[in-house]
Amino acid sequence: EAMAARCPRSCGACDRKRGGGGGGQRGGRGGHRHARKRASAKPKGGGGGGGVERAGGRLSEAYLTAHAGALCPVVTAASDSDFIAARGLVGTAQEALASDAVVVLYDLGLGAAYRQELAAMCAVVVRPYARAADALTPWKPALIVEASRQFGCFVWADPQVRFAPLAGGDGGLMAALRAELGVRGVLALRSPGSLAEHCHPDALRGAGVEPTEALWDAGMVDGALLGVNTSSTAAPVGAL
């Protein structure tokens, strides 16, 4: 009962024995987990305004497909070495995003036990990563492109990212992110230094980009946290 009372989605299927409270905020075994009860559900308001209504806490690929246009999920990826960090990310997303929490986690090589534990957490869908035929294709840009095609609005977060709730109650953080993404199109963290400090000119030329002086002095973006709204008409520029 105590675990169910803390669940931000109030879906009533919390497993107290496995729940572990809010320890996920520190990367521990926290985060809400739910029994395998399934029920039909639909997003509030239909247009992606806020909150995701569903019973049982568990999501499916079918649910993501049916409501892709109304969701703004957190998208991440993890292998065995990222398991503890990913569990902490999910735990803080559950607490900070509350009823808006939807986490799509790509499996980059999780063991069966780790994959099962993450998939059992509330509002999480674990999906396989289909590696490109070209072994040199980096997985993160590929996953970000895939997420932008399916959802339009989403927040990429490395497993080490931690969310903190805003004052104002349920859904406040996601509402703020949606509003900013609607105006800016892209939100990203600034990284210290310039492109000149982190990239060789020949690396840019190899990618078909000529390192002009203006580009060379441009600031860097930290890829650990990236918000994207492909439907925004604004220039895709922003900083959290």
Side-chain angles (χ1 to χ4, degrees), residues 71 126 136 153 189:
L71 300 174
V126 178
L136 298 179
C153 179
L189 295 171

Side-chain angles (χ1 to χ4, degrees), residues 184-214:
R184 299 173 180 268
V186 172
L187 291 171
L189 295 171
R190 295 191 184 277
S191 181
S194 65
L195 191 61
E197 297 176 54
H198 297 277
C199 186
H200 193 279
D202 289 343
L204 289 178
R205 294 189 180 99
V209 178
E210 185 60 30
T212 63
E213 183 174 348

Side-chain angles (χ1 to χ4, degrees), residues 122-194:
C122 183
V124 177
V125 171
V126 178
R127 57 171 51 164
Y129 167 52
R131 296 184 181 276
D134 179 4
L136 298 179
T137 300
W139 56 265
K140 185 188 285 190
L143 295 183
I144 289 174
V145 169
E146 181 174 320
S148 69
R149 289 172 176 169
Q150 180 177 8
F151 300 108
C153 179
F154 67 96
V155 177
W156 170 272
D158 283 1
Q160 294 75 21
V161 169
R162 298 294 179 264
F163 291 95
L166 294 180
D170 186 8
L173 179 58
M174 182 53 74
L177 287 172
R178 280 178 178 268
E180 285 297 310
L181 286 170
V183 172
R184 299 173 180 268
V186 172
L187 291 171
L189 295 171
R190 295 191 184 277
S191 181
S194 65

Side-chain angles (χ1 to χ4, degrees), residues 7 9 12-13 16 18 30 46 51 59 84 106 110 117 119 127 132 153 159-160 174 182 190 193 202 214 216:
C7 178
R9 281 154 300 284
R16 180 173 50 187
R18 297 174 60 200
L59 301 182
I84 292 177
Y106 284 88
L110 290 165
E117 181 168 345
R127 57 171 51 164
C153 179
Q160 294 75 21
M174 182 53 74
R190 295 191 184 277
D202 289 343
W216 205 235

Side-chain angles (χ1 to χ4, degrees), residues 9-37:
R9 281 154 300 284
S10 300
C11 42
C14 292
D15 182 340
R16 180 173 50 187
K17 182 177 179 180
R18 297 174 60 200
Q25 293 183 350
R26 291 178 291 276
R29 292 188 62 86
H32 305 300
R33 299 173 179 82
H34 294 269
R36 294 183 178 274
K37 177 181 177 182

